């Protein structure tokens, strides 16, 4: 087992290396001169001297291999540089955005687990009932709505419309930014629990972000439960005289959970690092949207720095999933046993 | 062993016979069975009807849409009305017409992308699954690297490189979409190649390509088809997302995602600008998901 | 139809079980009747699709998709078919236990063997976890598994095939059921291991004084341990009697065909194998009259065999057959019937 874990950990290194190098290379293929962009964009017509200064400052004139090596040298020391756009330290940006993303993802995940799993299990138990059919259509519909459309619909329903028609203050939710003006880390209890007004800003983005994943989790859970239901050992359990509920909970659930766990872990990673659409719709300053805009702005340090963290996160999550599989399933843990 | 040796000639006849048996396309009754089971799933049938309707709408767009996609009227940001079923946008274009023409954009992009993605994915997956060993390892490492990068980042990055246009999007989505396909094709091939009829085929001297494509692939088709159907839905969503972010087809192309993005500025007064294109996307994807589900249930008799 | 010497435990009367499918009504079991007594090994033989498994599983009502279309299942006098699900649950495992074909898939892979055996005890008796665990060690020991205390903490995939099946048997007898139904218990095992498992079954039967209902398609297994044999075909019973009766004095063409198709060690080099031609009939559209007639060498069709439904009756004391011409089989393994020209 330990050797397995070590091997997987080692695999992370080349993956990260190649992923980031790929982005690095891609950046150089991107049209648009970063220096010009930094100096104020093409329409502000920066003069050549400014552009040259910027090139010097950020080493953009050096040959590609040199830049590549310099980049990795710095990165290995965790010197992620400064944003081309704003000059702020990437570490600082990273810290702030990561916190925001984590908080949002945390609640989205909770919603996904609670709602997704219970809906999935329930519809599997009450197979073919009306509730099951409704959930099937419901989850299919939920996974079909584009995230940003859902976000705007929710915004409209819960914030814009009440606002426009002057509903009482307490019914209205907020639609953008991460908190009332002047809010900071103090607004969060135990790092993730929103205090005071904060939850009004959190609720819509969290639900939006959770929606699609919840639908998929519910579907997968149902499918997994149904598949396990057909397994021979379920028949044995029935022949022993176990009641249906016991059979489902004690025997079925643990086996059915396995594939769902993978999904949940990967979703969590995606929610933290790739929630571009939700973050854009709600102006929630998280990792995803920052990375996306850094591509458009040709802000290489920000792009690479934040992506590095996200890639590392993904890899570690993947590893945790594989390890937990072993914990759940003794066949993996102890190695495939004797055949006959 | 040359083709001319007498023993080989005899073997070739057997080869031919066995080959015909092994690789015969499933007799029509199987397909009829599948269709029969599919028909029973009402939701799937509704989905199929919707898709067919959408295709018709796309083909006959000029006849269905009252206005051209770029035609301006003098009603700006108008709410839905008799004249303009879905209202008009900021510069006076009829939203209904644009949604109708948008069907063409969506279908074009999603079908082209799916073909590319499936093509690459099946090839890569089949080779990885069948040859195993180094080929497999290499391909899996490559897909791992791609999968490690958050999808949107990858898509946005490539999209900015290849340009913001319909073709650019097709390229981006095709190049990123094959990853999932290759995974399932690979696992299909991995398990199928252990089956005895493959051993039998090898013992008879069939070439590996032949075995791969004429013997294993037909059996691996089922999950591939289901995945493909669902893939189209995902592609539409991805295209909508990229258009929304601004890296897809540009104005005046009536891409649904782009239309949502254009309408987001004024939710309070012009919600219809977001609602209708958004619904179009949602319903289309839903139809593909339902059909995909129906196909999966219809192709796997054990699931009943 | 009472035959055996022990107390009458199970009495199945005219049991019919059907499945409603899209293609029609599948008559899986058609008016089957038999008795099982304490201490007896009752074997049900037949091909796949003969209805033997469905019969067995219907006793415990383990097939939710099926429908009982008639008959009674009397267990110690009371009709099981009249029982509620709750009442059935107290029968399953405690009074009638069942073991299945593939022990690897029959056990939950994520629970230890000991836990699964203990579960059986904890379902039906109020005992502590510790006591239940001790019982599972006891059971493992009873079926001849070495180091039972260590084994109880291991997982199913860590056992070899034969040991696994023994563990399954241990699990089944935990609450000392009066009837043990074994559905193809040896089919998934190597031949050498098969003999061991059958031995264990016999020992256990004596140990807990129960009866065994053995479902199988393997005539060798039947000959090895059975007292009574019932042959099924296309959902109907075609022959029944003691193992000697059925093997040495078969009175149905199907049974005869089965016996003749067995390869024999004492056969000479050029003896051909004699299979039964054709394949089992569809259970939706059964042949008219006797279901076996299309494959029967001695069938009179057109005649009684394809028009008249068969009657399962006593031919010689406790030896029953459904063949119209069963009486003509008496006196030897070669029938005296004339093959119609």
């Amino acid at each position: 087992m330990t050797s397995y874990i070590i091997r997987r950990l080692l695999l992370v290194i080349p993956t990260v290396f190649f992923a980031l190098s790929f982005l690095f290379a891609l950046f150089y293929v991107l049209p648009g001169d970063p220096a010009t962009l930094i100096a104020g964009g093409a329409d502000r017509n920066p003069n050549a001297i400014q552009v040259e200064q910027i090139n010097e400052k950020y080493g953009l004139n050096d040959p590609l291999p040199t830049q590549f090596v310099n980049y990795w040298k710095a990165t290995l020391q965790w010197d992620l540089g400064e944003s081309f756009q704003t000059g702020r330290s990437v570490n600082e940006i990273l810290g702030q955005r990561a916190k925001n993303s984590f908080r949002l993802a945390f609640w989205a995940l909770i919603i996904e687990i609670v709602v997704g799993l219970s809906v999935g299990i329930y519809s599997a138990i009450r197979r073919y009932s009306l509730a099951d059919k409704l959930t099937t259509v419901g989850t299919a519909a939920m996974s079909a709505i584009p995230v940003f459309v859902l976000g705007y619909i929710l915004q409209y329903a819960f914030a814009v419309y009440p606002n426009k028609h002057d509903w009482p203050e307490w019914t209205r939710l907020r639609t953008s930014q991460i908190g009332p003006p002047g809010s900071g880390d103090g607004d969060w209890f135990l790092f993730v629990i929103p205090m005071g007004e904060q939850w009004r800003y959190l609720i819509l983005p969290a639900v939006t972000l959770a929606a699609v994943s919840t639908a998929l989790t519910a579907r997968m859970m149902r499918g997994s439960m149904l598949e396990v239901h057909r397994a021979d050992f379920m028949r044995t359990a029935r022949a022993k005289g176990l009641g249906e509920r016991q059979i489902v909970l004690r025997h079925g659930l643990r086996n059915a959970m396995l594939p769902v766990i993978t999904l949940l872990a990967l979703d969590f990673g995606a929610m933290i690092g790739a929630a571009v659409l939700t973050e854009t719709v709600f102006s929630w300053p998280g990792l995803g949207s920052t990375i996306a805009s850094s591509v458009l702005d040709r802000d290489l340090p920000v792009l690479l720095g934040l992506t590095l963290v996200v890639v590392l996160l993904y890899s570690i999550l993947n590893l945790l999933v594989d390890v937990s599989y072993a914990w759940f399933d003794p066949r993996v843990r102890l190695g495939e046993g004797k055949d006959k | 062993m040359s083709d001319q040796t007498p023993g080989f000639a005899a073997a070739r006849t057997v080869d031919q016979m066995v080959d015909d048996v092994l690789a015969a396309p499933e007799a029509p009754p199987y397909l009829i069975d599948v269709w029969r089971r599919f028909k029973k799933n009402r939701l799937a049938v509704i989905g199929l009807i919707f898709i067919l309707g959408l295709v018709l709408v796309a083909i006959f767009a000029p006849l269905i849409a009252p206005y051209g996609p770029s035609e301006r009227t003098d009603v700006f940001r108008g709410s839905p009305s008799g004249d303009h079923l879905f209202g008009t946008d900021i510069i006076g274009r009829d939203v209904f017409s644009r949604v109708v023409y948008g069907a063409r954009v969506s279908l074009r992009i999603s079908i082209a992308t799916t073909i590319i993605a499936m093509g690459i994915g099946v090839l890569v997956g089949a080779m990885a699954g069948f040859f195993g060993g180094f080929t497999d390892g290499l391909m899996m490492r490559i897909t791992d690297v791609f999968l490690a990068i958050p999808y949107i980042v990858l898509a946005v990055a490539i999209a900015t490189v290849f340009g913001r246009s319909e073709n650019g999007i097709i390229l981006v989505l095709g190049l990123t979409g094959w990853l999932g396909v290759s995974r399932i094709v690979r696992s299909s091939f991995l398990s199928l190649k252990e089956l005895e009829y493959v051993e039998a085929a090898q013992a008879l001297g069939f070439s590996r390509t032949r075995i791969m494509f004429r013997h294993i692939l037909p059996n691996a088709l089922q999950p591939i088809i289901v995945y493909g159907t669902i893939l189209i839905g995902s592609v539409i969503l991805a295209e909508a997302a990229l258009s929304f972010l601004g890296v897809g087809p540009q104005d005046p192309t009536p891409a649904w995602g782009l239309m949502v993005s254009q309408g987001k500025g004024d939710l309070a007064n012009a919600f219809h600008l977001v609602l209708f294109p958004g619904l179009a996307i949602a319903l289309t994807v839903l139809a593909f998901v339902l059909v995909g589900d129906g196909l999966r249930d219809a192709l796997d008799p054990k699931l009943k | 139809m009472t035959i055996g010497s022990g107390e009458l435990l199970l009495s199945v009367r005219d049991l019919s079980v059907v499945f409603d499918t899209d293609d029609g009504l599948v008559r899986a079991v058609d008016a089957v009747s038999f008795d099982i007594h304490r201490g007896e090994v009752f074997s049900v033989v037949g091909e796949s699709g003969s209805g033997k498994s469905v019969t067995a599983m219907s006793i415990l009502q383990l097939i939710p998709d099926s429908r009982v279309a008639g008959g009674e299942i009397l267990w110690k006098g009371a009709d099981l078919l009249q029982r509620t699900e709750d009442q059935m649950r107290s029968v399953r495992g405690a009074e009638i236990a069942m073991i299945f074909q593939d022990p690897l898939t029959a056990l939950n892979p994520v629970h230890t063997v000991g836990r699964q055996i203990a579960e059986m005890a904890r379902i039906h008796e109020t005992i502590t976890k510790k006591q239940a665990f001790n019982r599972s060690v006891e059971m493992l020991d009873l079926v001849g598994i070495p180091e039972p205390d260590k084994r109880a903490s291991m997982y199913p995939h860590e056992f070899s095939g034969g040991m696994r099946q023994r563990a399954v048997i241990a699990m089944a007898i935990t609450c000392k059921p009066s009837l043990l139904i074994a559905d193809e218990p040896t089919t998934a095992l190597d031949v050498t291991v098969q003999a061991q498992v059958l031995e264990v079954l016999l020992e256990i039967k004596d140990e807990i004084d129960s009866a065994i209902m053995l479902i199988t398609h393997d005539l060798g297994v039947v000959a090895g341990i059975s007292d009574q044999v019932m042959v099924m075909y296309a959902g109907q019973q075609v022959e029944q009697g003691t193992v000697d009766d059925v093997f040495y004095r078969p009175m149905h063409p199907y049974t005869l065909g089965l016996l003749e198709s067995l390869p024999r060690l004492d056969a000479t080099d050029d003896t051909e194998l004699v299979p039964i031609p054709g394949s089992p009939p569809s259970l939706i559209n059964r042949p008219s009259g006797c279901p076996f007639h299309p494959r029967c060498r001695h069938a009179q069709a057109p005649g009684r065999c394809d028009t008249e439904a068969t009657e399962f009756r006593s031919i010689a004391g406790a030896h029953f057959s459904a063949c119209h011409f069963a009486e003509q089989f008496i006196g030897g393994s070669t029938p005296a019937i004339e093959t119609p020209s």
Side-chain angles (χ1 to χ4, degrees):
Chain A
M1 248 295 261
T2 3
S3 64
Y4 176 69
I5 299 182
I6 295 182
R7 252 187 309 137
R8 291 281 277 101
L9 266 175
L10 287 180
L11 263 182
V12 170
I13 300 174
T15 311
V16 172
F17 178 74
F18 281 112
L20 256 52
S21 303
F22 174 75
L23 282 180
F24 193 90
L26 200 59
F27 185 85
Y28 277 91
V29 184
L30 293 180
D33 179 37
T36 318
L37 266 172
I38 298 165
D43 29 294
R44 282 228 237 135
N45 251 323
N47 56 54
I49 306 178
Q50 270 186 305
V51 173
E52 196 44 43
Q53 277 179 332
I54 293 173
N55 272 328
E56 276 304 313
K57 178 171 176 201
Y58 291 110
L60 295 168
N61 273 336
D62 295 335
L64 189 51
T66 319
Q67 291 199 44
F68 186 73
V69 171
N70 286 339
Y71 164 68
W72 278 109
K73 267 205 288 193
T75 304
L76 285 172
Q77 296 168 40
W78 207 261
D79 173 14
L80 300 174
E82 294 158 4
S83 157
F84 281 173
Q85 274 273 296
T86 63
R88 277 171 73 197
S89 136
V90 171
N91 273 326
E92 194 191 310
I93 301 178
L94 175 65
Q96 196 52 53
R97 303 292 146 94
K99 267 194 268 193
N100 297 338
S101 281
F102 184 81
R103 286 167 176 152
L104 184 61
F106 180 84
W107 288 103
L109 187 70
I110 302 250
I111 296 177
E112 180 181 352
I113 293 179
V114 171
V115 177
L117 290 186
S118 37
V119 168
I121 296 176
Y122 184 76
S123 60
I125 296 181
R126 297 257 179 274
R127 192 184 181 191
Y128 296 139
S129 70
L130 182 63
D132 178 31
K133 295 211 173 99
L134 282 177
T135 5
T136 310
V137 181
T139 48
M142 204 43 109
S143 61
I145 302 185
V147 176
F148 52 96
V149 172
L150 179 65
Y152 286 127
I153 292 180
L154 289 178
Q155 270 193 358
Y156 186 74
F158 289 98
V160 175
Y161 191 82
N163 230 352
K164 185 169 165 185
H165 296 264
D166 264 328
W167 287 16
E169 186 68 29
W170 62 269
T171 58
R172 300 195 226 163
L173 294 173
R174 302 289 173 269
T175 69
S176 60
Q177 274 119 58
I178 197 169
S183 68
D185 279 336
D187 259 4
W188 298 86
F189 179 63
L190 285 182
F191 195 72
V192 285
I193 304 180
M195 307 291 287
E197 283 292 295
Q198 185 62 54
W199 72 270
R200 282 189 200 264
Y201 290 83
L202 176 66
I203 221 186
L204 287 181
V207 170
T208 307
L209 185 55
V212 177
S213 307
T214 307
L216 290 175
T217 303
R219 280 155 77 81
M220 163 147 274
M221 189 71 208
R222 177 182 184 269
S224 188
M225 297 266 321
L226 289 180
E227 210 176 285
V228 167
H229 197 73
R230 295 187 291 156
D232 281 349
F233 63 81
M234 297 293 271
R235 182 179 55 173
T236 307
R238 220 164 277 128
K240 277 156 99 172
L242 265 180
E244 275 308 305
R245 184 193 280 181
Q246 297 273 45
I247 297 178
V248 165
L249 291 177
R250 231 191 270 174
H251 288 267
L253 206 55
R254 190 159 163 193
N255 282 279
M257 283 291 279
L258 298 176
V260 179
I261 302 275
T262 318
L263 191 66
L264 288 175
L266 294 180
D267 273 350
F268 188 58
M271 285 185 204
I272 294 185
V276 187
L277 297 170
T278 311
E279 290 174 10
T280 306
V281 167
F282 291 95
S283 308
W284 189 275
L287 286 175
S289 54
T290 312
I291 294 178
S293 49
S294 71
V295 173
L296 296 170
D297 295 335
R298 312 279 185 274
D299 198 339
L300 191 59
V302 173
L303 170 65
L304 292 178
L306 266 59
T307 308
L308 172 70
V309 171
V310 173
V311 170
L312 277 173
L313 177 70
Y314 275 21
S315 305
I316 296 185
L317 273 175
N318 266 305
L319 179 66
L320 283 176
V321 164
D322 286 346
V323 169
S324 71
Y325 245 78
W327 181 75
F328 264 102
D329 189 345
R331 285 171 293 188
V332 175
R333 197 194 315 159
L334 301 164
E336 283 305 314
K338 289 174 257 197
D339 194 20
K340 269 205 123 167
Chain B
M1 207 184 195
S2 123
D3 280 39
Q4 306 308 314
T5 46
F8 201 69
R12 294 233 84 213
T13 327
V14 175
D15 169 327
Q16 216 37 55
M17 278 165 35
V18 175
D19 194 28
D20 287 342
V21 168
L22 284 180
E26 302 283 9
Y30 174 67
L31 284 176
I32 295 179
D33 252 351
V34 170
W35 172 241
R36 200 168 47 94
R37 279 194 293 263
F38 185 85
K39 263 196 304 185
K40 274 191 288 167
N41 185 338
R42 261 181 302 172
L43 288 174
V45 173
I46 295 179
L48 190 62
I49 295 179
F50 184 90
I51 294 176
L52 291 173
L54 192 70
V55 171
L56 287 174
V57 165
I59 297 178
F60 294 109
L63 297 175
I64 301 177
Y67 300 86
S70 310
E71 196 182 318
R72 300 199 194 185
T73 66
D74 45 12
V75 184
F76 299 100
R77 276 212 245 113
S79 303
S81 65
D83 244 0
H84 299 277
L85 274 173
F86 289 173
T88 60
D89 71 359
I90 308 180
I91 56 177
R93 296 175 294 197
D94 176 42
V95 177
F96 179 72
S97 307
R98 300 200 85 221
V99 169
V100 165
Y101 276 96
R104 289 187 166 182
V105 177
S106 289
L107 284 176
R108 260 202 303 254
I109 295 181
S110 50
I111 293 178
T113 304
T114 307
I115 294 178
I116 296 179
M118 296 287 279
I120 302 179
V122 168
L123 219 61
V124 172
M127 287 201 291
F130 188 75
F131 289 115
F134 182 69
T135 329
D136 183 19
L138 183 65
M139 301 205 160
M140 282 307 104
R141 291 294 135 264
I142 296 180
T143 44
D144 273 349
V145 169
F146 273 94
L147 284 174
I149 307 177
Y151 178 75
I152 295 278
V153 174
L154 200 59
V156 171
I158 301 182
T160 3
V161 172
F162 288 106
R164 313 177 185 201
S165 68
E166 232 179 84
N167 292 330
I169 288 282
I170 294 177
L171 211 57
V172 172
L173 294 177
L175 289 179
T176 47
W178 64 266
L179 297 166
V181 188
S182 74
R183 283 247 145 145
I184 53 151
V185 172
R186 171 182 175 266
S187 50
S188 276
F189 268 71
L190 270 180
S191 42
L192 284 173
K193 111 180 141 165
E194 302 301 332
L195 292 182
E196 280 159 348
Y197 74 88
V198 173
E199 244 184 85
Q202 283 174 325
L204 284 169
F206 293 1
S207 78
R208 280 180 305 185
T209 339
R210 192 193 200 91
I211 298 181
M212 238 183 5
F213 287 106
R214 296 200 64 194
H215 301 322
I216 300 186
L217 191 56
N219 286 289
L221 268 183
Q222 179 203 320
I224 295 178
I225 292 179
V226 176
Y227 189 88
T229 322
I230 302 185
L231 183 64
I232 301 185
S234 314
V235 166
I236 296 181
L237 277 179
E239 175 260 311
L242 290 178
S243 305
F244 171 74
L245 289 174
V247 291
Q250 300 294 297
D251 209 59
T253 317
W256 291 336
L258 184 61
M259 289 167 68
V260 173
S261 167
Q262 288 168 337
K264 73 182 179 202
D266 194 3
L267 278 186
N269 300 317
F271 188 59
H272 61 276
L273 293 178
V274 164
L275 184 65
F276 292 112
L279 274 182
I281 304 173
L283 290 174
T284 308
V285 175
L286 181 60
F288 277 102
V289 167
L290 291 177
V291 169
D293 271 358
L295 262 183
R296 187 193 57 214
D297 289 345
L299 283 170
D300 185 357
K302 286 177 286 168
L303 270 174
K304 173 96 180 57
Chain C
M1 206 185 248
T2 295
I3 313 172
S5 49
E7 163 203 352
L8 175 62
L9 292 173
L10 181 72
S11 185
V12 175
R13 304 243 153 282
D14 283 326
L15 179 68
S16 291
V17 182
V18 299
F19 289 84
D20 299 301
T21 69
D22 297 323
D23 298 314
L25 194 71
V26 174
R27 313 195 131 274
V29 180
D30 196 3
V32 168
S33 305
F34 57 91
D35 293 338
I36 302 185
H37 298 74
R38 193 180 287 279
E40 154 177 89
V41 177
F42 187 95
S43 292
V44 182
V45 193
E47 295 168 273
S48 310
S50 56
K52 51 194 202 300
S53 284
V54 177
T55 307
M57 296 219 272
S58 296
I59 296 175
L60 284 179
Q61 293 177 48
L62 285 176
I63 319 181
D65 293 331
S66 67
R67 196 165 44 94
V68 172
E72 318 176 291
I73 301 179
L74 299 173
W75 172 253
K76 295 183 177 166
D79 188 3
L80 289 180
L81 294 173
Q82 302 295 333
R83 296 216 184 178
T84 65
E85 177 63 16
D86 278 343
Q87 290 168 327
M88 277 312 297
R89 256 184 265 144
S90 55
V91 171
R92 292 182 196 136
E95 297 190 53
I96 305 178
M98 189 155 176
I99 66 177
F100 300 97
Q101 178 173 331
D102 187 354
L104 181 57
T105 56
L107 292 170
N108 191 332
V110 300
H111 291 160
T112 60
V113 170
R115 177 174 167 179
Q116 298 188 52
I117 300 179
E119 183 178 38
M120 177 69 109
R122 298 184 69 206
I123 294 173
H124 299 286
E125 305 168 20
T126 36
I127 58 176
T128 65
K129 264 205 206 171
K130 190 89 180 63
Q131 289 173 318
F133 184 78
N134 291 336
R135 176 87 74 86
S136 62
V137 174
E138 212 184 295
M139 291 297 127
L140 286 174
D141 188 40
L142 204 61
V143 294
I145 290 181
E147 296 185 304
D149 45 336
K150 286 222 189 83
R151 287 279 167 182
S153 308
M154 294 170 83
Y155 290 92
H157 70 274
E158 296 178 89
F159 284 53
S160 70
M163 266 208 279
R164 257 197 299 264
Q165 191 63 298
R166 283 199 246 177
V168 170
I169 295 175
M171 185 167 72
I173 58 163
T174 304
C175 299
K176 302 209 186 336
S178 303
L179 173 64
L180 179 62
I181 304 179
D183 191 352
E184 310 260 18
T186 53
T187 309
L189 306 172
D190 290 334
V191 175
T192 44
V193 177
Q194 278 183 14
Q196 291 171 7
V197 170
L198 291 175
E199 272 242 13
V200 169
L201 276 175
L202 279 180
E203 279 167 18
I204 291 301
K205 178 197 68 128
D206 291 330
E207 180 76 35
I208 63 173
D209 193 27
S210 68
I212 297 183
M213 180 177 175
L214 179 66
I215 318 287
T216 182
H217 63 268
D218 187 337
L219 290 172
V221 166
V222 173
I225 66 171
S226 313
D227 298 316
Q228 291 284 323
V229 180
M230 176 170 87
V231 182
M232 284 186 72
Y233 184 80
Q236 296 179 346
Q237 4 172 214
V238 295
E239 183 158 2
Q240 186 183 334
T242 63
V243 67
D244 283 349
D245 276 344
V246 175
F247 274 71
Y248 292 120
R249 297 175 283 278
M251 288 205 281
H252 192 284
Y254 178 57
T255 317
L256 192 59
L258 285 180
L259 293 167
E260 283 181 349
S261 67
L262 287 176
R264 297 180 61 107
L265 275 180
D266 57 350
T268 54
D269 274 335
D270 44 4
T271 339
E272 286 183 2
L273 288 178
V274 188
I276 305 178
S279 22
S282 149
L283 294 174
I284 298 176
N285 296 314
R286 269 210 289 238
S288 54
C290 167
F292 186 62
H293 83 257
R295 305 168 76 186
C296 179
R297 262 183 295 167
H298 313 288
Q300 295 203 353
R304 287 182 74 189
C305 293
D306 67 337
T307 51
E308 210 179 302
T310 57
E311 190 199 331
F312 190 69
R313 63 207 185 279
S314 158
I315 310 295
H319 191 171
F320 301 76
S321 171
C323 179
H324 290 304
F325 304 102
E327 284 79 4
Q328 298 176 30
F329 276 79
I330 301 178
S333 50
T334 347
I337 332 175
E338 298 273 312
T339 332
S341 48

